[in-house]
Every structure is written in C-alpha cells, then in structure tokens.
Amino acid sequence: MNTIYEDKCASEHFGQLIKALRTNRQFTQEDLSEKSDIGVQYISRIENGSANPTLKIISALATAFEVALSDIFAGLKKNNG
C-alpha cells in the first residue's frame, strides 16, 4: 500500500517531468495551458507536486507535448529508477 510520502514523491517526480518537457520545448506555463486546455494555476500545481492529475489531464499534456501517453509514463519510470 502506498503511503502519503510515496504519493507525494510520485507527484513531485511527475511534476518535475512535466516541467522538464515544458522547458525543453521552450513553452511557458501559459503556452502549455493554451495547448492542453488546462488552467495555468493547475499546471503550476502539477509542476510543484501539489496536484494529482487524472489520466484525462495527463493525456491532454501528452497531446500538448506531441508525445505518446506511454512516453510520459516511460519518462516517469526512468526518473524514479
């Protein structure tokens, strides 16, 4: 069973991945918001690890980055070792 600590770490790792993808593409949070139809404040919460995005949100982010959903999860697995 996951502990709150493990869930927080996963959220932080996911947020770091999303921020890295965004900055590598030279997107601002506003750019990503427009491309994904996700609010800027929610994107900020994702990046700082305080949000727990649904699969629908993760899919919208993958579409905005023009990557497969599986690439998002592969990047997360790679970052978690």
Side-chain angles (χ1 to χ4, degrees):
M1 179 184 288
N2 287 348
T3 66
I4 293 172
Y5 175 76
E6 289 169 338
D7 290 341
K8 179 69 174 169
C9 287
S11 295
E12 288 174 356
H13 287 294
F14 182 75
Q16 290 168 359
L17 173 66
I18 295 304
K19 185 174 184 175
L21 285 168
R22 179 179 62 77
T23 56
N24 285 342
R25 285 167 174 72
Q26 298 180 338
F27 291 172
T28 64
Q29 287 183 342
E30 291 80 9
D31 294 333
L32 183 55
S33 174
E34 289 176 18
K35 291 176 182 297
S36 65
D37 200 30
I38 299 169
V40 174
Q41 291 87 1
Y42 195 67
I43 289 171
S44 177
R45 289 184 52 224
I46 291 170
E47 288 185 359
N48 70 33
S50 66
N52 190 14
T54 63
L55 186 56
K56 183 176 179 179
I57 296 290
I58 297 168
S59 179
L61 291 168
T63 299
F65 291 129
E66 299 180 349
V67 299
L69 189 56
S70 60
D71 292 339
I72 297 282
F73 290 111
L76 185 59
K77 183 177 179 181
K78 180 178 153 186
N79 286 345
N80 282 331

